[in-house]
Amino acid sequence: MKIALIDYGAGNVQSVLFALERLGYQATVTDDPDTIKKADKVIFPGVGEASSSMQMIYNKKLDTTIPALTQPVLGICLGMQLLCSSSEEGNAKGLGIFDIQIKRFSNQLKVPQMGWNTIANLKTELFKGIKEEEYMYLVHSYYAPVNAYCIATTNYGINYATAIQKDNFYGVQFHPEKSGKAGEQILFNFLTI
């Protein structure tokens, strides 16, 4: 299986690579549109700031490549947020695959949300073998409100969408690569969709 890990200058690429290796899979870290298009599965990771990350995506001409993909695509953390239409972070315009506006957590909460929290209301084969209220690792200041594409929620002052899906596109706000055995199960489920 050919797995492409999109490299656009955002962090956490190495930790995703190591998690895939623990599962027995090799991935190609690439920003080449042709390599990405030919992959069986595409992972779109991300740790960083939305507007500068979108600028890197434009610079690498990936803003047309990513939305046109037809194979399963998994956005992780910032990668998930960039699949949406916009983000309050840097007033960024996203890739528009999901009609969702990413919002900043209220100042009433400790921001960023950092550490372990539970996921609930699990839907789709992405969560096969994962129990309700399983703990996942999160680090983020911005979130997707609960929406029509929501396939899992987390509560941090409010309920928000911690996973979304539309057609072949999946997004998770948490870091499966840093979430122990349950996170690895989610990565495995994605690779076997």
Side-chain angles (χ1 to χ4, degrees), residues 2-165:
K2 289 190 201 139
I3 304 166
L5 199 49
I6 298 178
D7 178 16
Y8 60 101
N12 93 319
V13 171
Q14 280 306 124
S15 53
V16 175
L17 266 183
F18 293 145
L20 294 172
E21 285 171 10
R22 287 193 297 272
L23 289 167
Y25 293 94
Q26 298 294 315
T28 302
V29 178
T30 182
D31 61 2
D32 175 57
D34 283 337
T35 305
I36 293 167
K37 287 176 199 166
K38 289 177 182 158
D40 300 305
K41 300 284 187 324
V42 176
I43 298 177
F44 182 35
V47 171
E49 191 271 336
S51 60
S52 56
S53 295
M54 277 306 299
Q55 194 54 57
M56 290 186 281
I57 287 167
Y58 290 125
N59 293 347
K60 294 176 181 285
K61 312 241 182 307
L62 295 173
D63 57 307
T64 52
T65 302
I66 296 169
L69 296 174
T70 55
Q71 68 272 63
V73 177
L74 177 65
I76 297 174
C77 193
L78 179 62
M80 176 193 111
Q81 294 185 3
L82 297 180
L83 294 174
C84 298
S85 48
S86 66
S87 173
E88 289 183 355
E89 185 175 26
N91 218 7
K93 179 178 185 297
L95 294 169
I97 294 158
F98 294 91
D99 184 18
I100 299 169
Q101 280 75 44
I102 300 297
K103 310 274 189 202
R104 191 179 193 285
F105 280 123
S106 154
N107 289 330
Q108 312 299 304
L109 298 166
K110 186 169 179 267
V111 176
Q113 176 188 1
M114 186 181 293
W116 296 87
N117 203 339
T118 56
I119 59 173
N121 303 306
L122 309 179
K123 301 181 183 94
T124 82
E125 64 274 33
L126 192 63
F127 296 107
K128 192 168 75 182
I130 303 295
K131 62 184 191 299
E132 287 283 330
E133 305 296 331
E134 184 65 75
Y135 278 88
M136 293 290 155
Y137 188 76
L138 296 121
V139 182
H140 62 119
S141 302
Y142 294 80
Y143 69 94
V146 172
N147 58 74
Y149 311 106
C150 184
I151 57 170
T153 60
T154 290
N155 187 282
Y156 188 66
I158 54 160
N159 270 330
Y160 67 88
T162 198
I164 55 178
Q165 187 221 338

